[in-house]
Amino acid sequence: MDKILEELNESQREAATTIDGPILVLAGAGSGKTKTITTRLAYLISIGIDPASILTLTFTNKAAKEMRERALAMIDSTIYPPLLCTFHKFGLLFLKFHIDKLGRSNNFVIIDTDDKKRIIKSLKPDLPIPLIASEISKYKNSLISPDEAIAAARLPNYKKIAALYEKYEEYLQKNNLVDFDDLLVLTYKILDQDEELCRQISQKYQFIMIDEYQDTNELQNMLVKKLCSTHNNICVVGDDDQSIYGWRGANVKNILEFPNEFENVKVIKLEKNYRSTKKILEAANNLIAHNRNRLGKTLQATLEEGEDIVVRTFSDEQEEAMEVGKQIRRLIDSGTPPSEIAVLFRINALSRSIEEAFNRLGIHFKLVGAIRFYERAEIKDLISYLRIIANPLDDFSLKRIINKPKRGIGKVTVEKLENEAKKRGLSILQLLYALEEEELATIVGKKNAKTLRTFADTLNELRAALDDGLYNFIDEFERLIKFKEYYASMPDGLERVANIDEFYGLFRDYIKQNPESGLEDFLADLSLQSDQDQVGGEAVNIMSVHASKGLEFEHLFVIGMEEGFFPLTGDGCDMEEERRLGYVAFTRAKKTLHLSYVQSRFYKGRRAHLEKSRFLGEAGLCQGSVKIEKRAGFKKGDLVKHKIFGIGRITGVSKAGREFKLTINFGGQTRDILSSFVEKV
């Protein structure tokens, strides 16, 4: 054990060997947090503390498994391991022994998210099921009972949700079911109402450690206090500067106010960084220093100065994606393993241009923690609408969107339509056009017949709208279908609407560049550039900043460094959390960090001119020795390539707003084209 302790730096050793009293270990990015926690766990056992009296809580099963294995590997004896698990696993174990205190049997069954949604669906709600599920979860984590929810509800929709919450809870109790939230909620309720049991549990676990404390929510914080009710031997480990989950209930105040929650708290800061070069850490420290609500620490480099951080600016997202792709291709060709390269973005919708560029350049990639752009449900639904408008024979696409947005058309009705259509040798949509409403009512009922007639008429109207030009078709589509409105009502509505807007932008961009093309051409082009499954070989990682937490890469590219994209701005945005996201992004990089922003990007379905992110200035990256590379402008004599007109030579350049107008000779034909629509050969 002494030899293992010698491998730690002074702060890590202090954290590992301090046993009694409340301890806050502020562990900066790349500071050896896991090594410190596992060594502390091993140290407690090595000095004779009963493993059964030690409780360590984490957030993922993977983290728990890794810590357990690493801690036990440090100890010679094959002792019974201490309890090291997630919050929810602890709740499950507790309820197996004590749920009878609530008058319930311990042979309860845990339901998953899909089960939960099916139960809610069986209650026949007229609101989106994901919204109801999310609100019920919020009620539970706030310890609000159905009665309290009903009494507090003022708006009509919330009155409906509160009533459904009551029915949902009745169903769970009647069938002795427990959902994911109940694992903590019921555990807390039992400890709160049974003081003697709470005292026994607290005395059982004399030494408590909590990992990633900045990610705890209010309920988890209250549960921790119950577990410490008879002692104050609690060690919490985390980084207030990496608290990035406020949107899912995490409360950064839990770690910020920890020194005030317990008496004589010892604060130990792990500030030596073993991951990133000095220049990367300087930028990260400069950025996070602009936050006011933080306990304060400064990462210290143990590695060399390193290369300058590179900041690049591009005219638009296509140019950005292609240039990032070419930079990555050069890294791979020079021997860098693709797995040591990552591209990060703040908003998932930005992955689309990167995915397409990588496909064109033949770069193997994997999208981590997210669904590829064209595989997202809302995008598949959109494409299905376009396909059925272009091709009335496409039953597959029709069945996907016949009840999106909700129209009350279920599987049974669709089966009846399908059977009737087959009898007559028609597609389902052709059947809807062929039958009068009264005749349709004999097959699917009067109410459904009216709904389906309206649906078919809407598709017809949209088909007619194609004659007025494709560029304004999207506006007409939104007016008639209200597609964004439907997805906006879901818990992850902002993300889904951002994806829809990205697709609308892609559609309009295609029409601008291909004015003679029709809807069928767009769909055909889309099917060619949509995801080809990457086969074999290592892959470059593409992911959101949220998904990158805890990871590290030799070479890192952060795209979309513009106001409104990173940071997100507007109502409901927490600038301090946005800045913490920036800090997390920068500190994923080990050797090189590349940041980029564009002058214009499709935003909310339209091309918008953008300003570079304030974070570049706050990080000190717009001055000093940092290299800021601007894309070389086009000049007379350059060879360029256009999607339609092919390769041509520039004969003249003039300013046009924020862009440049290029006069290009395409094999004898001269055309004036904006610079953002061509690329250098």
Side-chain angles (χ1 to χ4, degrees), residues 246-247 346 494 568-575 577-578:
W247 52 276
R346 171 66 182 89
L494 282 176
L568 284 182
T569 52
D571 292 342
C573 287
D574 179 347
M575 192 51 63
E577 181 152 322
E578 290 295 311

Side-chain angles (χ1 to χ4, degrees), residues 283 286-287 290 309-313 558 560-563 566-567 586 594-598 611-623 626 628:
N286 288 341
L287 175 63
H290 286 77
I309 295 169
V310 179
V311 181
R312 294 186 180 90
T313 179
V558 185
M561 295 292 297
E562 304 109 27
E563 286 293 300
F566 199 1
F586 288 12
H594 304 254
L595 310 173
S596 61
Y597 63 95
V598 299
E611 298 296 327
K612 65 174 176 275
S613 170
R614 71 189 74 182
F615 292 169
L616 295 173
E618 291 177 356
L621 297 178
C622 291
Q623 56 192 19
V626 173
I628 298 194

